[in-house]
Amino acid sequence: ATPRVRHPDGRIAGVRDGDLFVTDTRSGRTTRLTRTADAEAEPAWLADGRLVFVRTAPGGLPQLVALDLATGAVEQLTDFRA
C-alpha cells in the first residue's frame, strides 16, 4: 500500500486506486488531484505545502511530477527514457 503523508498543516496526501488525493483533516474534504491511467505512488510534500510530488509511470517509465495545489498545474520534473 502506498503510504499517506501528512503535511504539518494537517493535510494528508495519499494514493487510492492509482490516483493522488489530498484530504484536509480540518474540514474533512478530500480532493482528487489526478485522474490518469498511470498509477501514481509515493507522494511527498514541498515544505511550504504548495506542491505535492508524486511518482508516476507514463509509458511504463518512472517519472517524478509536481502538482501545484493552487493552480492545478502539473510539471514533469524528470525525463527518464528507455
Side-chain angles (χ1 to χ4, degrees):
T2 299
R4 290 178 277 167
V5 181
R6 182 180 294 267
H7 187 270
D9 69 9
R11 291 177 293 168
I12 298 172
V15 175
R16 183 174 61 218
D17 298 326
D19 287 315
L20 180 65
F21 292 80
V22 168
T23 299
D24 182 328
T25 57
R26 288 174 284 189
S27 70
R29 181 176 178 209
T30 298
T31 304
R32 185 181 201 156
L33 299 179
T34 62
R35 190 178 301 269
T36 67
D38 304 312
E40 281 75 39
E42 302 176 24
W45 289 98
L46 184 66
D48 66 10
R50 291 181 306 114
L51 303 174
V52 175
F53 302 98
V54 68
R55 183 177 51 84
T56 188
L61 296 171
Q63 303 294 340
L64 180 64
V65 297
L67 293 96
D68 186 311
L69 298 180
T71 67
V74 177
E75 179 181 0
Q76 184 173 317
L77 303 173
T78 57
D79 188 17
F80 297 118
R81 300 172 190 204

